[in-house]
Amino acid sequence: MPSSMEDYRNMIEQPWGKMFYDMIYRQLHLSNKKRLKVLDYGAGFCVSADYYGKHHDVTAIEPDTKMIHLRIDHGNYELICGSLEKLKAMKDNTYDIIFCHNVLEYVEDKEAVLSELSRVLKQDGLLSVVKHNLGGRILAYAVFDNDPGAAIEILSNGDNGNNLFGGRHTYSNQYLIEVNQNNGLVLNHIYGIRTFFGLSKDFEAKRSKTWYSDMLELEMKVCDMEQYKGISFFHHLIFTKKTAD
């Protein structure tokens, strides 16, 4: 993990940071033929908000003023500084698609947030949640960080700690699926993100265009294969809000 918000902002500009987003965009595969209403909840530096804002009507909600100050700002989205209170003020059935990417780990009341996200999502709309995967984090500690002791600790006690974004508390896919089911959302798909591209410290090799194109192709080939999902650093779960009878 970078030591400062500025370091983290710089990291997402590097090839191994960009690939995280490129994989999400490909897994979502949203058409630009129809202009959609998009909510990016916990938008961070607004990378996804800016990307989708070129073709869709995007609202980004982010509580961290440091991240807002360092955001990508091309004027393609509406930015709201705030959190759950801003979400509660929004109308029912407003958005065609909602992003909640690496946010819930840092939320104390996950169920309250998920309930509100479901409420403002349109019928047949999509909820895209990216979350940390414990198996991938164990692999990363053991291989990338050369710290098997840390890998043993989170294997035994879970991945809970503090970083730039506050207290982190990982949660299971099953928990997320069950909470969303109670809110009327059904699971469409689970993808893996970052099976291989974060396991090497040869950063110069990663700046090669050939490395990037080949690694992205490899990651996209394995992101839907069960044996690789289990060791991917992140999981991407996509839900649909069921149409009311």
Side-chain angles (χ1 to χ4, degrees):
M1 173 62 67
S3 59
S4 70
M5 198 65 76
E6 289 77 11
D7 289 340
Y8 185 67
R9 175 65 175 79
N10 179 64
M11 186 273 291
I12 68 170
E13 296 285 356
Q14 305 306 314
W16 49 94
K18 291 179 179 179
M19 193 169 294
F20 170 82
Y21 292 98
D22 276 343
M23 290 192 69
I24 291 173
Y25 302 154
R26 283 163 173 76
Q27 290 168 356
L28 285 170
H29 194 57
L30 295 184
S31 171
N32 294 329
K33 294 180 180 179
K34 177 184 177 182
R35 198 164 185 89
L36 303 174
K37 288 187 68 65
V38 179
L39 174 64
D40 191 356
Y41 184 76
F45 300 121
C46 297
V47 179
S48 295
D50 182 70
Y51 177 84
Y52 284 107
K54 296 175 178 67
H55 300 284
H56 305 285
D57 298 322
V58 179
T59 300
I61 297 179
E62 172 55 47
D64 193 312
T65 55
K66 290 182 180 179
M67 299 193 83
I68 289 175
H69 177 71
L70 294 168
R71 73 190 184 278
I72 293 176
D73 187 2
H74 296 164
N76 294 317
Y77 54 89
E78 176 191 7
L79 176 62
I80 299 172
C81 181
S83 189
L84 183 59
E85 77 285 355
K86 300 296 184 180
L87 195 57
K88 288 181 175 180
M90 292 178 168
K91 295 181 180 179
D92 294 359
N93 306 309
T94 299
Y95 295 100
D96 298 291
I97 183 165
I98 297 175
F99 307 143
C100 185
H101 296 166
N102 291 340
V103 172
L104 295 174
E105 286 84 353
Y106 305 98
V107 171
E108 183 174 347
D109 192 346
K110 296 175 177 57
E111 294 182 22
V113 171
L114 289 167
S115 176
E116 289 298 315
L117 292 178
S118 174
R119 181 184 63 79
V120 301
L121 185 63
K122 291 181 181 179
Q123 296 294 332
D124 298 318
L126 297 180
L127 171 63
S128 164
V129 179
V130 176
K131 60 181 288 295
H132 291 87
N133 173 44
L134 191 63
R137 293 189 68 82
I138 292 168
L139 184 66
Y141 276 118
V143 177
F144 183 79
D145 291 334
N146 292 315
D147 192 347
I152 292 170
E153 172 64 24
I154 67 170
L155 179 62
S156 301
N157 301 311
D159 185 26
N160 302 305
N162 295 297
N163 58 25
L164 292 172
F165 312 108
R168 182 184 64 247
H169 301 282
T170 55
Y171 58 97
S172 70
N173 288 353
Q174 190 58 38
Y175 168 81
L176 180 62
I177 292 167
E178 290 176 358
V179 173
N180 279 336
Q181 282 178 339
N182 291 335
N183 291 328
L185 275 68
V186 296
L187 178 67
N188 285 352
H189 215 97
I190 301 177
Y191 295 102
I193 297 176
R194 209 185 96 166
T195 299
F196 301 117
F197 72 78
L199 294 180
S200 168
K201 288 192 174 182
D202 188 347
F203 298 117
E204 289 307 310
K206 293 181 181 183
R207 291 188 171 91
S208 160
K209 290 183 179 180
T210 300
W211 176 89
Y212 194 91
S213 60
D214 287 349
M215 182 59 77
L216 182 56
E217 180 181 358
L218 174 62
E219 290 278 5
M220 289 306 299
K221 284 182 179 295
V222 304
C223 74
D224 202 21
M225 300 172 68
E226 293 301 325
Q227 63 267 43
Y228 295 107
K229 288 183 194 180
I231 59 170
S232 62
F233 200 82
F234 303 101
H235 280 168
H236 182 194
L237 291 85
I238 303 174
F239 298 85
T240 301
K241 187 172 180 178
K242 294 184 296 187
T243 303
D245 295 330

